[in-house]
Amino acid sequence: MTVTTKGSTPGTPDNPWGDTKTNAPSNGVNLGPTQRPRPVFPEPVPPAVHGPARVVAMVNQKGGVGKTTTTINLGAALVEYGLKVLLVDFDPQGALSVGLGINPLQLDLTVYNLLMERGVTAEEVLLQTGVEGLDLLPSNIDLSAAEVQLVTEVAREQVLGRVIKPLLPHYDVCLIDCQPSLGLLTINALTCAHGVMVPLECEFFALRGVALLMDTISKVQERLNEDLEIEGLLATMYDARTLHGREVLARVVEAFGDKVFHTVINRTVRFPDATVAGEPITTFDPSSLGANAYRELAREVLSRWPAPATMAR
């Protein structure tokens, strides 16, 4: 049993993370919202040399769980710590591109052209964002055709890895924002990735598809990419004031243990505000709780990766 810190309520401004204390006063251990002692993650040291990139796929077949928000804001937070980050919009909805202020309908070249047209190079598709050190391979609705067209390709699961390979030596991290499905595009992302991160909304229905997702990841590990690792499950849209949110988070930690990140992303209106502005929250509202949460996630992610933080395939 736990009780809230004296004088504060989980989810309120004086206790935004929903931190609690054990009711055993002798140990004085502060617990985070995952009901585990919150570690102090060290401040990362900027790399002296950039590249090659560690590739991480953001995957969950359920939509609206925070994949795109996490891709944008984790990437921006990593840039603040001196890393060079490549974002890959691998969703035909183009939400990642829109969230960085780019109109997908006005693009001449996208990831689709890179996948399906032999004469197109990654450098031609690459766009700089408004954040220095954060670059983007954009997408639009054209990518939806690739799912069908790739079926007849030789080594169809490895196409994405092949086309982005020339860019990886120039970056420290590559984050791939996947579409909400477990189709061929997502399999491509998992096949070329070193790790997979699973953003998970703190809501009951978000739990239902996790078993299927883990089964898919296991099959990719066995048949296509034996080096693929589960980076962790990230609880998003968390509201410590609701019993339902706390219960869902507790079930996730019970099922997956240390695979669940200590960092939890709270629900806040500042995320959609930043999306409308076409900026990461770290630049739109640098001192907000959301910005600080993604900075903490960046530190936690870097602390989990082997040293150096990046990895060549």
Side-chain angles (χ1 to χ4, degrees):
M1 177 179 177
T2 60
V3 295
T4 58
T5 307
K6 184 177 180 181
S8 64
T9 302
T12 56
D14 60 334
N15 188 12
W17 306 114
D19 290 350
T20 60
K21 286 185 178 180
T22 62
N23 55 5
S26 59
N27 57 33
V29 176
N30 287 326
L31 301 181
T34 64
Q35 295 303 299
R36 296 172 295 174
R38 183 194 295 278
V40 177
F41 302 109
E43 195 79 6
V45 178
V49 179
H50 295 291
R54 181 178 179 91
V55 181
V56 178
M58 296 285 180
V59 179
N60 193 324
Q61 74 269 34
K62 187 179 185 300
V65 297
K67 292 189 298 295
T68 300
T69 298
T70 296
T71 304
I72 293 174
N73 295 303
L74 175 58
L78 289 169
V79 166
E80 287 189 354
Y81 291 124
L83 281 72
K84 290 192 66 176
V85 179
L86 172 65
L87 305 182
V88 179
D89 191 347
F90 217 45
D91 184 348
Q93 298 178 73
L96 181 64
S97 302
V98 172
L100 290 167
I102 295 165
N103 185 348
L105 300 179
Q106 296 178 350
L107 296 171
D108 294 325
L109 294 174
T110 66
V111 169
Y112 170 78
N113 304 97
L114 186 59
L115 292 174
M116 306 309 304
E117 299 175 15
R118 291 187 179 275
V120 177
T121 65
E123 289 78 7
E124 292 177 285
V125 180
L126 189 67
L127 297 177
Q128 293 182 335
T129 71
V131 179
E132 186 176 355
L134 186 69
D135 295 337
L136 170 70
L137 290 176
S139 172
N140 61 20
I141 193 63
D142 293 344
L143 186 60
S144 59
E147 190 101 42
V148 176
Q149 295 172 345
L150 283 172
V151 170
T152 59
E153 290 286 321
V154 176
R156 60 191 180 186
E157 301 91 353
Q158 300 170 2
V159 176
L160 177 62
R162 186 177 69 249
V163 298
I164 67 171
K165 186 176 181 179
L167 294 178
L168 299 184
H170 307 293
Y171 295 91
D172 301 303
V173 181
C174 173
L175 302 178
I176 305 174
D177 183 29
C178 297
Q179 65 176 344
S181 84
L182 297 178
L184 188 52
L185 293 180
T186 300
I187 298 301
N188 259 264
L190 293 173
T191 300
C192 72
H194 298 102
V196 54
M197 187 178 297
V198 184
L200 184 69
E201 182 184 5
C202 291
E203 188 264 341
F204 173 73
F205 289 107
L207 290 173
R208 298 183 65 188
V210 175
L212 178 60
L213 173 58
M214 292 301 167
D215 183 57
T216 300
I217 292 172
S218 178
K219 288 179 180 178
V220 172
Q221 290 171 324
E222 293 173 3
R223 304 174 188 180
L224 296 168
N225 182 4
E226 63 181 13
D227 297 323
L228 181 66
E229 300 176 355
I230 298 176
E231 302 280 354
L233 287 84
L234 173 68
T236 63
M237 305 181 189
Y238 178 65
D239 189 343
R241 296 168 297 183
T242 67
L243 176 62
H244 180 69
R246 297 196 299 271
E247 287 180 341
V248 169
L249 182 55
R251 288 185 62 181
V252 172
V253 174
E254 181 182 0
F256 297 99
D258 290 339
K259 286 295 183 182
V260 181
F261 287 107
H262 288 273
T263 305
V264 171
I265 308 301
N266 282 9
R267 189 184 296 274
T268 169
V269 297
R270 300 308 278 166
F271 289 126
D273 289 346
T275 300
V276 171
E279 295 182 48
I281 198 169
T282 52
T283 60
F284 178 76
D285 193 353
S287 61
S288 66
L289 295 176
N292 288 329
Y294 275 107
R295 293 185 185 107
E296 182 179 9
L297 176 63
R299 294 193 298 271
E300 181 171 3
V301 165
L302 291 172
S303 73
R304 291 188 176 206
W305 288 347
T310 55
M311 180 187 298
R313 186 169 292 289

